[in-house]
């Protein structure tokens, strides 16, 4: 191991501050109608003006976090406010559920067909309320959070296409996102509510979704945690599993739960052994636990967020356990990610590569990629690398 | 042009009769529970037992067509009946709408969330009724057909996630499938009903979806046929467009409408110029009319059905117009298809290649690929190649 932690920390820091944040500051703010553009080509030109609620909320969250954690720059708070006010005005239906998409002007395009828009709204408004001190934003955050709790057992509501009763599956996405979201909300929740939700999500992920035999996280299991031999039941989403593990390590760290930390690190390493492409490098997007053909045609593509969340998870795992496998994997995923996704020329990172690692979409943002995974991961990796220097 | 039509006709005929039909006869019939397995790996092993209604119905249609058009083999009628009886018993909800998926035993898994299951049911039971002479099957066909007509303006029904009014788009899939389906139903419909539906679908496809400026078919337009600058509004699906053109050529041929035939051939050639991958060969799956990044991560993949429907369209176009561009494109797409999709070793064709033409899913059937495009196209190409010999 040939670690140069200060130099690595600087790389993550500088890329965040000089390459990624400026990209979003310069290109994404819709000063005319409010909110943000997320559909930006390689150079930052807007190629579509629709406003996807996940990404709108995630950008509010991100600029609020910059303001809260990096520096109290008025410009950053202004950008966060610009999105928060647009979303508070246009983002919800008359029942308070968050739409999936709006047009540029803020008119609803896509109904609130799942609960994840509400998740990202709760995150966004929690951190925006902290940044701005505006108490109305707290109310928006708490209302969205309670929507999530209320709808968590039927996250798609009336848009659920599954026939009731024949095949009951629950998705890891719900407890996984609740683990992270609940910590993001900690200053707004009572200690009791917080601990109850955290207990339940940790328990559900590690008992129902983690498979004792393979050490892998399944994406969908029956309500009692057993496996079904069908497409959804065989699905492994390596990036999701690894991201879930760093959410749980955050909880475990807060609780000094060494056992949970070790279990999470073991799981990350298991997923990497299973999900790493031994021929071309990089982590697959979707896999079938039995090696059957997955439904998803994009299964063998390499996505930016999968690799960035893995970097975060490995550094957190390394700092908490000092296990050398974490560092070895970090170096491997770091090299792959910086080689294939970063774009020194125009800022931000590419999102989508084919199996061989060639960029297949000439974009920096779209319907699912916005101002979120890249800056969050760069920020968290920078912090962990700084913290790691204390151990050397 | 170095055409050897008899040899080509023989290739398509022999592959159909000796390689493709045997694959489905041997591997796909679920003799225990009824219906068919469509999830078959390269060798024909069943890797999943769910029953997807599109594919169940398409296989009933296909074996009924073999019986009606190739040879009145009792085995083929038995296989068609095996699916038809399973579907008649399990395929519909209490309102007579066709589910999207059943489990192996026939219990519903996925609700009737769009109208295309009903389309394929109408096709299947029309041709099965013709094969079997069973009058109950006629009723099933007509009921499904009238479901399609009734639901055509809102094909997703209550599962439609679009917020009403903000952005109205209609999809070419509906008139396109009605064009083909209505001809498949011709012996069951009155001349007046038939001609009314055909008039409307031809008119809608050629006036609303065909763009006069580019000569390309748009996948989604406003109800009055104008374009919207959004992801769905910019979408071009070359395979869909080309398939739609051979459906319309069938109508035009029946009506001796030379103008429509020429317009359809022009459109096919325009789409091929636009959709052919100049670097690696093959036809792209999805494209953005303005060259922006499409939403679909699989946009640059090469799919079996796109290429097979193109072969059918080009041969029909060639036989109807004798235009040499049709034959030149046929040779190019023929070479690409046989090189990348066919599998002489185990029967049937691969379905999914990456941009470079490498197979990315080791399957012969799945959720969307069954006993349909390969045998239908081989059969139709064989017939057209035989017919073509009359002109040489």
């Amino acid at each position: 191991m040939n670690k140069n932690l200060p130099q690595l920390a600087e790389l993550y820091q500088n890329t965040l501050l000089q390459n990624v944040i400026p990209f979003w500051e310069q290109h994404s703010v819709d000063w005319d109608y409010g909110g943000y553009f997320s559909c930006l080509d390689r150079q930052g030109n807007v190629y579509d003006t629709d406003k996807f609620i996940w990404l709108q909320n995630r950008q509010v969250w991100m600029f609020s976090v910059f303001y809260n954690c990096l520096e109290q720059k008025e410009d950053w708070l202004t950008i966060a406010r610009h999105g928060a006010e647009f979303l508070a005005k246009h983002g919800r239906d008359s029942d308070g559920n968050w739409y999936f998409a709006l047009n540029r002007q803020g008119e609803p395009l896509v109904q609130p067909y799942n609960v994840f828009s509400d998740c990202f709204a709760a995150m966004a408004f929690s951190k925006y309320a902290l940044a701005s001190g505006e108490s109305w934003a707290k109310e928006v955050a708490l209302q969205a959070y309670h929507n999530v709790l209320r709808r968590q057992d039927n996250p798609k509501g009336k848009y659920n296409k599954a026939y009731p009763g024949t095949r009951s599956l629950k998705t890891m996405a719900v407890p996984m996102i609740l683990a992270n979201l609940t910590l993001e909300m900690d200053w707004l929740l009572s200690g009791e509510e917080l601990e109850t939700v955290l207990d339940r999500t940790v328990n559900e992920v590690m008992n129902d979704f983690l498979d004792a035999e393979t050490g892998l996280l399944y994406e969908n299991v029956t309500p009692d945690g057993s496996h079904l031999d069908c497409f959804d039941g065989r699905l492994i989403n390596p990036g999701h599993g690894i991201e879930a593990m760093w959410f749980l390590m955050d909880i475990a760290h807060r609780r000094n739960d060494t056992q949970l930390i070790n279990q999470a690190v073991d799981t990350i390493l298991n997923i990497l052994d299973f999900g790493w492409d031994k021929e071309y490098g990089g982590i697959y997007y979707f896999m079938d636990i039995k090696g059957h053909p997955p439904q998803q045609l994009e299964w063998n593509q390499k996505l930016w967020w999968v690799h960035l969340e893995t970097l975060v998870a490995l550094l957190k795992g390394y700092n908490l356990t000092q296990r050398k496998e974490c560092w070895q994997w970090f170096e491997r995923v770091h090299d792959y990610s910086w080689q294939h996704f970063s774009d020194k020329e125009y800022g931000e990172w590419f999102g989508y590569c084919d199996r061989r690692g060639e960029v297949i979409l000439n974009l920096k943002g779209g319907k699912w990629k916005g101002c979120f995974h890249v800056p969050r991961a760069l920020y968290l990796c920078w912090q962990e690398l700084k913290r790691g220097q204390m151990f050397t």
Side-chain angles (χ1 to χ4, degrees), chain A residues 131-144:
Chain A
S132 68
E134 292 164 10
S135 64
W136 65 270
K138 281 194 219 179
E139 298 309 313
V140 176
L142 283 166
Q143 187 229 13

Side-chain angles (χ1 to χ4, degrees), chain A residues 301-316:
Chain A
Q301 294 180 5
K302 311 292 163 65
L303 269 69
W304 87 108
W305 68 264
V306 172
H307 295 78
L308 285 161
E309 298 306 329
T310 301
L311 292 174
V312 172
L314 288 166
L315 286 179
K316 283 183 187 271

Side-chain angles (χ1 to χ4, degrees), chain A residues 171-221:
Chain A
T171 168
M172 188 179 69
V174 171
M176 167 188 165
I177 202 87
L178 267 175
N180 179 247
L181 169 58
T182 302
L183 286 191
E184 290 288 332
M185 301 282 294
D186 64 350
W187 72 291
L188 292 173
L189 302 177
S190 74
E192 196 192 330
E193 179 165 23
L194 182 87
E195 296 302 330
T196 306
V197 177
L198 293 183
D199 282 345
R200 211 182 51 227
T201 58
V202 169
N203 183 54
E204 198 173 356
V205 172
M206 298 312 273
N207 292 325
D208 290 354
F209 291 96
L210 179 61
D211 175 49
E213 201 185 312
T214 57
L216 298 173
L217 284 159
Y218 279 61
E219 199 63 13
N220 303 289
V221 297

Side-chain angles (χ1 to χ4, degrees), chain A residues 16-17 33-34 64 86 92 109-110 165-166 179 181 185 205 212 230-231 256 264 272 285 324 347 375 392:
Chain A
L16 175 66
L17 297 178
Y33 290 91
S64 301
F86 178 81
R92 288 164 292 178
L109 282 175
V110 182
T166 314
L181 169 58
M185 301 282 294
V205 172
C230 59
F231 282 106
N256 285 316
L272 283 168
Y285 189 13
K324 70 176 192 309
T392 54

Side-chain angles (χ1 to χ4, degrees), chain A residues 268-335:
Chain A
I268 292 166
L269 297 172
N270 291 336
I271 296 173
L272 283 168
D273 277 332
F274 183 74
W276 184 258
D277 181 345
K278 275 87 184 168
E279 194 171 346
Y280 293 102
I283 302 160
Y284 289 118
Y285 189 13
F286 292 107
M287 300 178 82
D288 183 292
I289 186 69
K290 295 192 168 179
H292 297 320
Q295 265 181 46
Q296 292 81 2
L297 300 186
E298 66 274 30
W299 74 275
N300 68 7
Q301 294 180 5
K302 311 292 163 65
L303 269 69
W304 87 108
W305 68 264
V306 172
H307 295 78
L308 285 161
E309 298 306 329
T310 301
L311 292 174
V312 172
L314 288 166
L315 286 179
K316 283 183 187 271
Y318 181 68
N319 279 343
L320 290 168
T321 66
Q322 300 293 303
R323 283 175 64 174
K324 70 176 192 309
E325 305 99 298
C326 288
W327 188 263
Q328 287 163 342
W329 269 111
F330 172 76
E331 287 188 327
R332 184 185 290 182
V333 180
H334 167 95
D335 288 346

